Amino acid sequence: MPDFNTGTAYNIGGQTLLSPEERLLEYVLGTLAYRGYAALRPSDARRVCDEEALTAPLRTRESLCAWALGEAAERVAIAYGPVTEQARAYLAGAARTQDESVKQLQRLLVRHIHLCLHPKNRIYVLTAANEAQLPEHLGAILPKALQEAFCGVLEEMILAASQVKKQKEAALLAASVCASVQFYAVQPELAKRMFVCATRHEPNYAEVEDMLNNMLLRAIVANTAINKPF
């Protein structure tokens, strides 16, 4: 299976070098992200992908969508393996301190932010953000994969770094992290305009990622501190 960050490759004549499977996945996720579930058509899918063995079982909108979301879920799991590996190892150990937990949380946030804001991953973020447009059983596929691959680890790490250890609060903070990062991928033009209006300069995305990481880390630490004012 190709890497999560692999972009579209072209030959010298400008034609795509994507495999039939990749072309089909690109069509389905692109349609779901930009046009919605109702715009997904098996007949269009067969024009995009001429591999009968691949498209034969995908004769309905539902089966086509389920296949693509299943593929996307697998890639999410593969992508987040390296992102969460260090955090999972730390959480599995016995020697934890507050300072080290905060450092581990910061590393986890940095890697998540970079993964989500990478341009080649935007289609996955957009597809995940459109779960409300899908039938319920299909809309659950990517959220389940994200919870298992990343969100659960993030919640545990927030608890490890917290002075006040409340599971519900950790879940809410983890959800806020996901929503904040998603904004930059879902509405990049608005994010860019806000940055330009504030600075009169084009965004330096490395700086944006760093500032976003620090902002989220401060919010988590402040909201789980013993002496918080509420």
Side-chain angles (χ1 to χ4, degrees):
M1 181 174 291
D3 291 339
F4 190 70
N5 278 335
T6 298
T8 303
Y10 296 89
N11 63 21
I12 195 170
Q15 291 83 28
T16 180
L17 296 179
L18 290 177
S19 68
E21 181 184 44
E22 290 296 312
R23 291 200 303 272
L24 184 59
L25 183 63
E26 189 176 80
Y27 160 71
V28 177
L29 294 184
T31 301
L32 291 176
Y34 294 106
R35 298 167 58 204
Y37 179 69
L40 195 59
R41 304 185 190 284
S43 57
D44 291 341
R46 288 192 291 275
R47 281 194 288 273
V48 168
C49 175
D50 54 5
E51 289 287 327
E52 178 65 21
L54 180 58
T55 58
L58 309 176
R59 296 292 184 181
T60 66
R61 177 182 292 126
E62 182 176 346
S63 62
L64 194 59
C65 184
W67 169 81
L69 292 175
E71 282 288 313
E74 287 187 36
R75 295 177 187 217
V76 164
I78 291 171
Y80 274 102
V83 169
T84 62
E85 182 179 11
Q86 187 174 0
R88 290 179 189 273
Y90 176 75
L91 290 168
R96 299 186 195 176
T97 65
Q98 172 125 21
D99 285 347
E100 184 59 29
S101 294
V102 171
K103 290 178 184 176
Q104 292 286 343
L105 176 60
Q106 183 179 31
R107 292 189 189 104
L108 185 63
L109 291 174
V110 166
R111 292 165 182 170
H112 170 64
I113 291 167
H114 181 72
L115 184 66
C116 288
L117 299 191
H118 196 297
K120 294 174 183 176
N121 296 337
R122 186 168 183 253
I123 193 68
Y124 294 89
V125 179
L126 289 172
T127 303
N130 286 342
E131 66 182 69
Q133 298 181 14
L134 300 171
E136 187 174 348
H137 66 289
L138 295 176
I141 294 174
L142 281 182
K144 181 176 184 290
L146 287 164
Q147 172 64 23
E148 292 175 352
F150 173 69
C151 298
V153 178
L154 177 59
E155 289 174 28
E156 288 187 55
M157 191 58 75
I158 289 173
L159 282 174
S162 300
Q163 295 181 50
V164 178
K165 300 188 184 298
K166 296 181 179 178
Q167 188 75 48
K168 187 183 294 184
E169 189 172 70
L172 184 59
L173 286 168
S176 298
V177 165
C178 294
S180 298
V181 176
Q182 189 183 75
F183 164 76
Y184 291 87
V186 173
Q187 293 187 276
E189 184 60 31
L190 176 56
K192 177 181 176 180
R193 286 176 180 273
M194 292 172 69
F195 190 93
V196 170
C197 286
T199 66
R200 301 296 187 269
H201 298 291
E202 289 291 305
N204 176 334
Y205 286 103
E207 181 185 5
V208 171
E209 288 183 7
D210 187 54
M211 291 175 64
L212 180 58
N213 174 67
N214 290 332
M215 180 190 73
L216 293 172
L217 186 64
R218 286 197 302 269
I220 290 169
V221 172
N223 278 285
T224 57
I226 291 174
N227 295 319
K228 61 184 179 180
F230 54 87

